[in-house]
Amino acid sequence: MQCGMAEASGLAITKALQNFNRTLKVLSLSNNSLGNKTAAAFGDLLKENTTLTHLDLSWNQIKAEGVKGLRAGLEGSLSLKSLSLAWNGLENEGAVRASKPTPLWKSCC
């Protein structure tokens, strides 16, 4: 959903989801101005998330540092099945970090 959201909005969304989400399964925050801090906050969220199954963070401003924080949450996530980071300009380091296998992919193939 393109809303022109900045980093502060992304952080507010992750905080609300940590405190109140019991039903949301699919979240698309693509095409905004979310960055590394929001990605890291989603990493924290995913560690304990039991409902979110699909997360779209494509077309934002997430770089290698954001992927690092996000991956920490992916390691412990049991419910997330799909994550999109397309068109963030991850550069080489971010792409390498994003491509390393996590438990998310163990049930695949």
Side-chain angles (χ1 to χ4, degrees):
M1 167 186 286
Q2 181 179 4
C3 297
M5 285 190 288
E7 193 84 88
S9 298
L11 294 172
I13 288 170
T14 58
K15 185 174 182 178
L17 290 172
Q18 283 177 323
N19 294 324
F20 303 110
N21 183 36
R22 304 290 180 264
T23 57
L24 184 69
K25 294 184 179 196
V26 177
L27 179 60
S28 177
L29 294 173
S30 67
N31 211 357
N32 284 288
S33 296
L34 307 177
N36 294 334
K37 290 179 184 176
T38 298
F42 268 107
D44 291 339
L45 169 72
L46 292 172
K47 290 176 188 174
E48 299 181 17
N49 170 64
T50 59
T51 57
L52 195 62
T53 59
H54 302 280
L55 178 59
D56 183 354
L57 295 174
S58 62
W59 289 94
N60 278 286
Q61 298 171 7
I62 299 168
K63 306 297 181 204
E65 191 61 33
V67 173
K68 180 180 178 182
L70 189 56
R71 277 195 56 80
L74 290 175
E75 298 291 334
S77 176
L78 298 177
S79 63
L80 194 70
K81 306 283 184 236
S82 169
L83 171 65
S84 178
L85 294 172
W87 297 101
N88 270 288
L90 297 178
E91 301 169 333
N92 289 341
E93 182 183 355
V96 168
R97 284 184 177 173
S99 68
K100 289 183 181 176
T102 69
L104 175 67
W105 297 308
K106 285 184 179 175
S107 62
C108 170
C109 313

